[in-house]
Amino acid sequence: MVAYNLEQLGPIGFQDLAAALVVQTFGAGVQVMGAGRDGGRDLYFRGPLSWQQADGQPSETWDGYTVFQVKHKDQLSARPQSDASWLWGHVREELEMWADPAKGRDPVPDHLVIITNVSLTPVPGSGGHDALNDSIQRYIDALADDSRDIGGGAERKAKLARLSRLRKWRLWDGNQIQTLLRLHAGVRQAFPGFLTASDVFANLAEIAGSLPLDQLEPGLRAHARTTLIGEGTIYFDEAGSSDGKGLPVHQVAIDLPVTFNGGAKHGSVIRQVLDRGEHMLRPTLTTRRGPRHLIVAGAPGNGKTTISKFLVQAYRAAMLAGASNLSGEHREVISGMEQALQRLGTALPHHRRWAMRVDLAEYAHEHGTEEDTTLIRYIAERVSKRSDLGNVMPSALSAWMRRWPWFLVLDGLDEVTDPTVRKRLIERVTELVTTAEGDDCDLFVVLTTRPIGYTENIAPTQFERIDLDYLQPEEAVRYGTLVTTVRLGNDQDRIEKIVTQLHQAADDEALHNLLRTPLQVLIMTIILGAAGRLAPDRFSLFWSYYEIVFKRERDKQTSFNRILQEHGPQIQQLHERIGFELQARSESGDRSNAALTHQELEKLTWQVLHEAGFDPSGADADLRVKIVTAATRRLVLIAPRGDEGYGFDVRSLQELMAAMHLTTGPLNLVTQRLRTAAASPHWRNTWIFAAGRLFSTPQDHQHQAVVELVETIDEGAEARLGNIVPVGPRLALDLIDDGMVRSWPKWRDRLIACGLHVLQRPTPASEDLLVIAHILVRFASSGDKQHHMVAEGIRDALSATQTAQTTATTFLIMLRAMAKVDASSQALGLSKVVSRPSMDPPSLPLDGWADFDEEIQTSPLSGNAFLKVTAAVSAIRQISQGSEAAVDTEDAFVATLVTALEDEQAAQVLAAALHHVAAHDWILVMVLRDKVLPSVYRVPVGELLR
């Protein structure tokens, strides 16, 4: 008879299993409690509870309040008496909690059921089962013993009065759970990831039933083992390394801090994901309330892809641990994952899920323009490509998902920027999770994105968003120490030197903004290792990295060092051209995962040399060939991408080089390019790098140009309704938070004044408001003057229009929540700001719609522009009135408005008309901001920037 491995479940999984068995036994009236403080109730039931005769126990009915408590022991000992003693210790603690009036556990149950994986011996009188029952009874009897009372025994009597309410109890031990699992096949089959043998694929026939094993089993076996080795590597070492070797992700992963629930909760991303994955998420059996899936949002360089690879590896290692057909390399990776998770304070997942990671840029590149390609079909293609044993059909994979728990990472939504492809991709994601819910699948999806430009709020009933926070200085030092040790191996002198300098940087407040992300910390360690200088802004950090890597490659004794020594300017220009070209073309729907072909690399090299005065087709053809040949191995930061061509290993480095290209030329041309790219989420990181470059030199006219550009960026921007939904304030905050203006107070003060206007606008989504709150708290923490400026900005909003007051009030609530979880004195201080009592809000015209109509009626429009405006006005009216038609035909209304804004004349008229009602109709403004304008912002602008 099969004995199910209940220890494998872990505490979360065993509680889910217990809940499923209790509900199956007693019905849906059993209340299952979720995670958190539950007052001693893992489950409870009020009313008559009917017990059927089983295991020699009589049938009976309990009427009253019944509590079920679940106790799971991670590792059972070889001595049953020891396990029984462990269980009694936990039961006694619970009894003491109920008996003590001060603990607030009310009401005390009438009946108690203890559910445990500990198997109690059945020997009458002396076995663990009878001994535990006797111990409970003796505990209650001892409270009735007044022989030792001192001073009347008031405390004892109070405890007795409470615990006397407990009339009956029962034990469901490991033996009983085994019996119930055999009895309730539906529950047993719903938990295959918990209960099957370690070599799961060898027993797949028992799990899969009627699945086509000739297609499924070989592909999944090969895929799990192959990807454990092939997809668990990251290439984060110093660019310029030509050996092509990466590092196992488990050697360098760290658990990054996260904030969620509007700033009210903190945690860490790996723990959050693994803890949620321990739950049974099958809709009919899950004990989890609220969304099951996660969206992980993080800034550039914040380690989203590394984390996603690490999590997938953790589940693959858990799936294959103990299997009989593993190589030594497989076992080494599994052991490495176990050690890494132990270092992070956790362990391999107990609830084994079949894991898959999908690069969304690759998916968009291969299938983004196709109407009929589902994510399951794409996953089936990927699995089949990694196996030589046969194709896996989508239908078989769907059946596998219904049978076995899945963990699916969809990585890099921010890299899919084309509006049409992005919309279609989000539809595929929503389709996947809703179909899985309908099919009662135990599916857990994690989707990653940058926060800028994420406005879709995908399936809010299905997905919860958590935001990666910046590293604290002490966390950054720990990570820097880890990666330096991994990179340098046994070179203790260099390691000690770099770590010492990292500690010094952590103590220097001016450098704190460089210690925020894993990528920046890694780059810092490389710069420090090369005796480089740290400047307190992000552009200078990344550019110093390029210069150090270039110098190291130039000084190597290779066949290419002479090219670098003599043609450094051309090599740099080639990097800039390639960075810009890839950034521009990746806006296109079918080129999200952009790379240069060999022919395109040759063409760009020819152009760079030709513009520098060389003759790349004649006398200097040999130079052109040598540069291209060097790139086939690695040319500073340009690396080959297999069959795809050439590109950058790190997206932020591509954006850095694109920024260099944008800022080359006369200042008026540069500012015009930046004005064009300002609203695009795809270009935002490039934009900030570009501004950083202009601030990196002591050229006051450049600084002034950037600040004035931000202050005026929304003027004349009718095509994106810049006067209604400005982007300047968020740009200003991004530049402040980057650190580039730290040494220039006059520009800093102008930018923060502009940035504080975000509090005058309709309240953004809670996650965006949380990002704003973090930026403003960090700024306020940098000095008394800065704190005063933020406080005054809040007061201004509290004393302004009703819309501003609402936003500011919501902002203060968020600051209070932040202060509770991280004890930030700045957040707490700012949260206490109040409005100026002597100032009245500015008065507004009673009806801005009359002016709106007059603006439309007096506009000199005709032809197509007139028709577009007429259709747009109808849509705006219905949105403002909140009609059901506006909701039911949202896509049509969005398309109507986007079409109108694409017409220059129509856009000017609509912008002027909407200006009259924006201050009154904040719901309309929010719809425009969150539904209409994202499509406008994502229109490709790369061709306009050349």
Side-chain angles (χ1 to χ4, degrees), residues 249 252-257 269-270 306-307 310 343-344 471 475-476 478-479 482-483 518:
V249 67
V252 295
I254 59 168
D255 201 359
L256 300 171
V269 63
I270 290 176
T306 299
I307 288 293
F310 180 83
R343 166 170 56 85
L344 300 177
L471 297 172
E475 295 171 321
R478 283 199 298 272
Y479 178 67
L482 173 67
V483 294

Side-chain angles (χ1 to χ4, degrees), residues 286-332:
T286 186
T287 62
R288 172 163 181 81
R289 300 171 181 173
R292 292 189 291 280
H293 311 296
L294 285 172
I295 292 173
V296 178
N302 222 1
K304 298 180 293 296
T305 294
T306 299
I307 288 293
S308 72
K309 288 186 174 184
F310 180 83
L311 288 167
V312 168
Q313 284 294 91
Y315 277 106
R316 286 176 178 154
M319 173 72 86
L320 294 172
S324 59
N325 56 350
L326 301 178
S327 68
E329 190 174 2
H330 289 122
R331 293 189 177 91
E332 184 178 344

Side-chain angles (χ1 to χ4, degrees), residues 111 151 186 222 254 295 302 334 337 347 385 424 524 529 562 702 710 714 734 757-758 843 856:
H111 311 101
I254 59 168
I295 292 173
N302 222 1
I334 293 171
M337 285 301 306
K385 287 179 180 179
R424 187 176 295 127
M524 283 185 70
R562 185 173 178 180
Q702 292 185 174
V710 173
D714 297 300
D734 287 340
H757 280 93
V758 295
S843 60
I856 297 295

Side-chain angles (χ1 to χ4, degrees), residues 110-125:
D110 301 305
H111 311 101
L112 176 64
V113 181
I114 303 296
I115 305 175
T116 181
N117 66 318
V118 171
S119 295
L120 300 171
T121 55
V123 180

Side-chain angles (χ1 to χ4, degrees), residues 185-193 280 282 285 351 403 405 442:
V187 174
R188 181 182 71 249
Q189 292 169 3
F191 284 79
M280 157 63 69
R282 191 180 295 274
L285 292 173
H351 187 13
R403 294 279 186 163
D442 184 0

